[in-house]
Amino acid sequence: MLFRSPDTTAAPRSVVQLYVSSGLPNVALIDLRQYSRDDAERYLRNAKLIPKTTLRYDAKAPKGVVLSQSPGPLAQVPMRSVVSLVVSNGQKPVAVPDLVDLAIGDAQSAAQKRGLQLEIGERVTSDNIPADVVVSQNPSAGSNIDPNSKVVVTVSAGAPMVGVPDSGGKSIGDALAAIRSAGLTARVTYDVDQSIPAGTVLQQDPAASGQAHKGSQVTLVVAVPGVVPDVVNMPLDQARSVLQDAGYSVGSIFYGEGGQPGNVVRAEPDPNTPLRPGSSVSLHVAGQSP
């Protein structure tokens, strides 16, 4: 048998032996399932193989774990071959619902329906947003996050607390002014009692020097005589104040001839007529309508 190197001369019909490559060495694959993506790719590169990774959502497998491989375990593949890996991308994300302006109970239900957890981060006072209503959220509505993730919300604590003024013994006019100045509202009820001056505050709730949410209501119990006071010949503004102290409001006002201009010439019902507190009294005033 003759061996000839390249470019040498050989006789006709001589034998030339050829050596044919059998290709790159083979590598036996191990089972990469349950490996982390990083470990699996590192192993393949060290074995002179090329990893090709595809991500797939999987509700059961942790994120980053190899789910399958191709070729499979124990397969013999040449070096520099491509080995495909399917890797878990964790559970499919869910869209965060819009929780702003919802009551905290409704927000909790909306989060649970998406498989999310709701956490109250802080409570803030607000003059405009009722207590226990969501003011803001993080992540924002529409964001995609993993199931069972937390959505942190800021919740209104309602209006700030303010001091309740002492209205006991004051006239209804002064009491109402003090309550409004404190940022509160008033509800007036009446108790017929002719033993003390009309329009005197007998009781209040909440009690004086207590605390109440700004904008909340203070109930006043006011002493009234139970009859229409005599406001004839009084200027209109004075008559209005006297009627308020007696538990009445001014209803219709009629203007006409007779009497001092601007003064009341007649009231309906007539003075000293029994009338339920809270009712209105019509007045006839001398002069022309302003």
Side-chain angles (χ1 to χ4, degrees):
M1 183 178 292
L2 297 177
F3 300 89
R4 301 291 182 180
S5 59
D7 300 324
T8 58
T9 302
R13 299 186 183 278
S14 296
V15 174
V16 177
Q17 187 165 355
L18 302 177
Y19 292 88
V20 180
S21 172
S22 59
L24 294 171
N26 283 344
V27 177
L29 290 177
I30 63 172
D31 189 348
L32 296 173
R33 290 172 296 181
Q34 302 305 314
Y35 273 55
S36 71
R37 174 180 178 174
D38 289 343
D39 288 346
E41 290 181 346
R42 185 181 304 111
Y43 166 81
L44 292 174
R45 292 190 183 100
N46 288 340
K48 302 299 188 284
L49 298 171
I50 302 170
K52 179 183 178 182
T53 302
T54 301
L55 299 178
R56 187 182 76 192
Y57 291 121
D58 191 288
K60 297 180 180 179
K63 191 172 184 177
V65 169
V66 176
L67 300 173
S68 63
Q69 67 185 81
S70 180
L74 306 181
Q76 298 282 332
V77 295
M79 287 183 179
R80 300 195 184 92
S81 297
V82 172
V83 177
S84 297
L85 302 176
V86 176
V87 175
S88 171
N89 201 22
Q91 298 186 64
K92 188 175 183 179
V94 295
V96 178
D98 188 356
L99 305 177
V100 175
D101 294 334
L102 294 182
I104 189 63
D106 294 337
Q108 182 77 53
S109 297
Q112 288 177 344
K113 286 179 181 178
R114 301 286 180 93
L116 301 172
Q117 299 182 47
L118 191 72
E119 179 179 298
I120 298 176
E122 62 176 329
R123 292 182 179 270
V124 295
T125 58
S126 173
D127 290 342
N128 304 317
I129 302 175
D132 296 325
V133 170
V134 176
V135 176
S136 64
Q137 66 182 83
N138 183 34
S140 59
S143 301
N144 289 318
I145 60 176
D146 291 336
N148 206 40
S149 296
K150 288 183 179 180
V151 180
V152 181
V153 294
T154 299
V155 178
S156 172
M161 301 296 287
V162 297
V164 179
D166 186 358
S167 300
K170 291 183 178 180
S171 70
I172 182 60
D174 290 344
L176 291 176
I179 287 171
R180 289 164 184 157
S181 179
L184 301 168
T185 62
R187 173 177 174 265
V188 179
T189 62
Y190 301 100
D191 183 20
V192 176
D193 186 345
Q194 297 183 358
S195 66
I196 57 177
T200 301
V201 176
L202 301 174
Q203 300 175 29
Q204 69 178 78
D205 183 30
S209 304
Q211 295 282 309
H213 285 288
K214 185 177 180 181
S216 61
Q217 190 176 83
V218 178
T219 299
L220 303 178
V221 180
V222 179
V224 293
V227 296
V228 177
D230 188 357
V231 295
V232 174
N233 295 323
M234 290 183 184
L236 179 58
D237 287 345
Q238 182 184 358
R240 196 187 302 273
S241 177
V242 171
L243 287 169
Q244 176 182 267
D245 287 348
Y248 303 119
S249 61
V250 175
S252 299
I253 300 176
F254 305 97
Y255 290 87
E257 300 294 330
Q260 178 69 29
N263 284 6
V264 176
V265 295
R266 188 158 63 91
E268 295 178 1
D270 292 329
N272 300 315
T273 300
L275 184 65
R276 181 177 58 84
S279 301
S280 62
V281 176
S282 297
L283 300 177
H284 292 258
V285 179
Q288 295 182 348
S289 174

